[in-house]
Amino acid sequence: MSLSAFLGDDGAANTTAPDAQPTAAQATSPTAGSAVGELAPGDVVFFSHQHVHALLREAGDYSDDAADAPLRPVRMDIEWLDGYSVGGRTRNVRREDLEALAADGKVRLIAEGVANRHSRWAATGARHPDQHAQDQPVEPKPRVRADKTTFTREFSRDRVNGFLRHPVVDHKHGRVAKAKAMFTARRPDDELSAVATVNVPNARQACDRHTVEITRYASHPEDAVDRDALPNNTGTRMLARIYEWAALEGFENVRALAGTDGNDGGIYQGANFQNDGTACSTGSHNRNGRSNHDHTRELTRYLRSVDVDGEDGSPGVPRRVEGRLGNGPGGTVTAQAGLASFSGYDGDARPAEFGFVREDVTDTKFARDDAHAPYSGRARDLFAAEGRDGAREALAGEATGRGRYAPAAVFGADVDGTLVAALAVTGNPRSPYSEARVLEYASRETAFPGATARWLLTRARDWAELEGYDVMAVPEGVFSATDGVQSSLPAGLGFEAVEGGGYRMLFG
């Protein structure tokens, strides 16, 4: 053990014996133990942010004496002495990554030369695991190459928080209280290597209904392969999934802040985000294992505009109903203000001129009274005039049971403020076997009716996969009210015919 490991904060020799017991104040203090520069098997360490103790061992060592191992192995196992993973191990972590945590003060030395986890004195009064008992134990694993990683929507906030607060990950802001969407990177063995959370901005003035913000990104600190010679691109691939999802949700911008933990925003630059100036953080945080402190830190704000059609997308179309809300007659709020009337369409448009829009109020808390109907008036009118018999009633029936997750969405094709086609999808993505089902389709007369239906169904299909559904179904007869649309249209988009009629597509 090096001199820096043997000396305490005040430079005095660390005389803590392996069989000594720390006081309650020492055990519960974020500064318990001594500063340490080098770590070795047999060290009992304290992860100060989470108030968790652990015994360090050489990777793969299950012998009776942890200290009977090479002094500085390349990789180490972390055997947890308390916390939600008590008795478990985080395996095969690079020693240099642990020492980097120690250099930042996140790992402190309690004792050296401890034989095994039965020396439980180090854990006495360390923390209160019941404070986060709702989180699931998660063992982060090293990242693998993106082409071997599955990027999926996650609905368990407990699992995501278990990853974020794991001492090896130790995200600067800790747990997330709420999120509009969460995404995970899963290795071939189904273990998590990275997570990201997305939400609308919390600040009232920043919540413009056009922008979504990346609130957390965290990954295991190392790659499963040589990270310098073979970058795995996990972060940039996950960001790509996020901005595809955001565009299909109807958002127009994705925003992120860099610099809270010393990062330079390279991951955002690699994903084509643009520098959008700076923001300021007070540094006042209040989470388990961390004392509030005040500082002013300048953060770099990154922004990326998103569009489902890329450079071919129609600019200037407000894609979300909330973004089109305005003052109607008598001060009422409608989703139609400033848009062309239903009767103003000439019928010559084609998909290259369409703008993608969401015709449902995607944040259901804004659709709980008469002022904010779940679906736009122009969507209801289009289904009534051009849809199948009973289409508007079917949509109204879905609205009565509308909650946070169901029904799912109404996608539309907009031409100069007029809705020319709409497709409604229903289903709960949180169900054990989740199905996104096309409920209704309606379209005015367009230059290429088949291409119009294909344009919308393609986007609904891509959204359903990103939203986390297991399967998407297109029932028989959905397109029957629109001349020029073949009932077999889904087959050309990768859907398979099912016995009894209709089509479906399995994801994953």
Side-chain angles (χ1 to χ4, degrees):
M1 182 62 64
S2 69
L3 180 63
S4 61
F6 189 68
L7 296 180
D9 287 335
D10 58 359
N14 179 6
T15 58
T16 303
D19 57 352
Q21 183 169 343
T23 66
Q26 289 175 327
T28 57
S29 169
T31 58
S34 305
V36 61
E38 296 180 354
L39 297 170
D43 288 349
V44 169
V45 295
F46 181 68
F47 287 81
S48 58
H49 284 177
Q50 288 81 11
H51 286 192
V52 179
H53 290 83
L55 171 64
L56 301 183
R57 308 189 68 117
E58 181 186 14
D61 179 17
Y62 289 87
S63 65
D64 291 337
D65 190 346
D68 187 17
L71 187 62
R72 294 179 57 77
V74 175
R75 293 184 178 273
M76 305 176 77
D77 286 354
I78 307 171
E79 189 168 353
W80 302 107
L81 302 179
D82 49 23
Y84 69 88
S85 291
V86 59
R89 286 194 182 202
T90 296
R91 298 177 176 83
N92 213 31
V93 180
R94 291 166 64 106
R95 175 183 46 77
E96 63 183 66
D97 289 324
L98 288 173
E99 291 179 343
L101 293 175
D104 290 339
K106 298 176 181 179
V107 171
R108 308 272 296 180
L109 179 68
I110 298 296
E112 308 171 64
V114 177
N116 54 57
R117 69 182 182 90
H118 297 295
S119 302
R120 294 296 296 272
W121 56 263
T124 302
R127 68 188 291 270
H128 303 285
D130 59 326
Q131 290 182 3
H132 296 301
Q134 69 271 32
D135 293 337
Q136 295 183 14
V138 175
E139 284 296 337
K141 293 298 178 67
R143 292 160 286 163
V144 298
R145 287 180 60 83
D147 57 3
K148 297 181 179 180
T149 302
T150 301
F151 299 91
T152 59
R153 179 80 181 271
E154 177 62 59
F155 293 100
S156 173
R157 191 175 60 193
D158 296 343
R159 186 177 299 123
V160 169
N161 282 333
F163 187 98
L164 289 171
R165 73 183 185 88
H166 192 281
V168 171
V169 175
D170 194 29
H171 191 278
K172 184 80 170 179
H173 294 311
R175 307 170 75 251
V176 61
K178 64 178 182 176
K180 191 170 184 65
M182 299 177 291
F183 297 88
T184 60
R186 293 183 177 273
R187 302 167 7 136
D189 58 6
D190 206 38
E191 298 287 354
L192 300 187
S193 61
V195 302
T197 64
V198 181
N199 205 6
V200 293
N202 288 326
R204 184 178 297 274
Q205 292 182 340
C207 186
D208 58 6
R209 304 296 165 198
H210 301 284
T211 302
V212 70
E213 186 173 78
I214 299 172
T215 55
R216 302 284 192 278
Y217 173 76
S219 65
H220 193 283
E222 64 179 86
D223 298 345
V225 294
D226 189 333
R227 54 183 164 186
D228 296 323
L230 199 62
N232 64 65
N233 298 323
T234 296
T236 52
R237 282 288 293 273
M238 183 168 280
L239 289 176
R241 301 286 284 187
I242 289 173
Y243 61 68
E244 288 172 12
W245 169 85
L248 290 165
E249 278 287 306
F251 290 100
E252 297 168 46
N253 301 295
V254 178
R255 186 172 65 191
L257 297 175
T260 57
D261 203 13
N263 62 81
D264 60 0
I267 183 177
Y268 303 116
Q269 298 173 42
N272 294 327
F273 282 68
Q274 302 300 314
N275 189 313
D276 190 49
T278 58
C280 184
S281 169
T282 63
S284 296
H285 304 288
N286 184 17
R287 68 176 176 89
N288 183 56
R290 181 174 184 180
S291 300
N292 277 348
H293 59 281
D294 293 325
H295 70 259
T296 300
R297 172 172 291 177
E298 193 171 72
L299 307 178
T300 303
R301 184 170 56 238
Y302 286 93
L303 190 72
R304 175 163 181 173
S305 297
V306 295
D307 195 311
V308 294
D309 296 308
E311 296 180 356
D312 297 327
S314 300
V317 176
R319 291 201 291 270
R320 291 165 61 87
V321 169
E322 298 97 307
R324 301 197 301 269
L325 291 174
N327 292 324
T332 60
V333 180
T334 72
Q336 315 304 105
L339 297 176
S341 67
F342 178 75
S343 60
Y345 175 63
D346 60 15
D348 293 333
R350 57 202 68 207
E353 302 170 43
F354 294 162
F356 176 82
V357 289
R358 287 290 295 269
E359 291 301 305
D360 59 303
V361 180
T362 57
D363 192 338
T364 56
K365 71 179 181 180
F366 292 100
R368 293 179 178 173
D369 54 48
D370 294 337
H372 296 78
Y375 308 108
S376 71
R378 64 177 190 170
R380 298 195 300 271
D381 290 344
L382 181 62
F383 281 115
E386 306 293 347
R388 296 184 296 178
D389 291 343
R392 180 167 179 168
E393 289 74 15
L395 199 66
E398 290 291 311
T400 59
R402 190 170 197 257
R404 184 177 178 185
Y405 300 107
V410 174
F411 302 103
D414 180 283
V415 178
D416 296 330
T418 298
L419 186 67
V420 300
L423 184 144
V425 180
T426 188
N428 186 350
R430 294 180 64 121
S431 299
Y433 180 73
S434 57
E435 178 184 274
R437 178 171 57 88
V438 177
L439 181 67
E440 294 291 343
Y441 175 78
S443 175
R444 305 194 63 178
E445 183 178 349
T446 62
F448 302 101
T452 299
R454 189 178 300 109
W455 190 89
L456 271 180
L457 183 57
T458 298
R459 283 146 185 78
R461 175 202 65 192
D462 295 344
W463 169 84
E465 182 177 12
L466 288 167
E467 189 69 6
Y469 286 96
D470 297 312
V471 62
M472 185 172 188
V474 184
E476 184 74 20
V478 165
F479 301 105
S480 60
T482 306
D483 293 336
V485 181
Q486 299 287 335
S487 60
S488 60
L489 180 143
L493 300 178
F495 288 80
E496 297 181 354
V498 298
E499 186 177 352
Y503 294 82
R504 73 171 186 170
M505 174 180 289
L506 295 173
F507 301 121

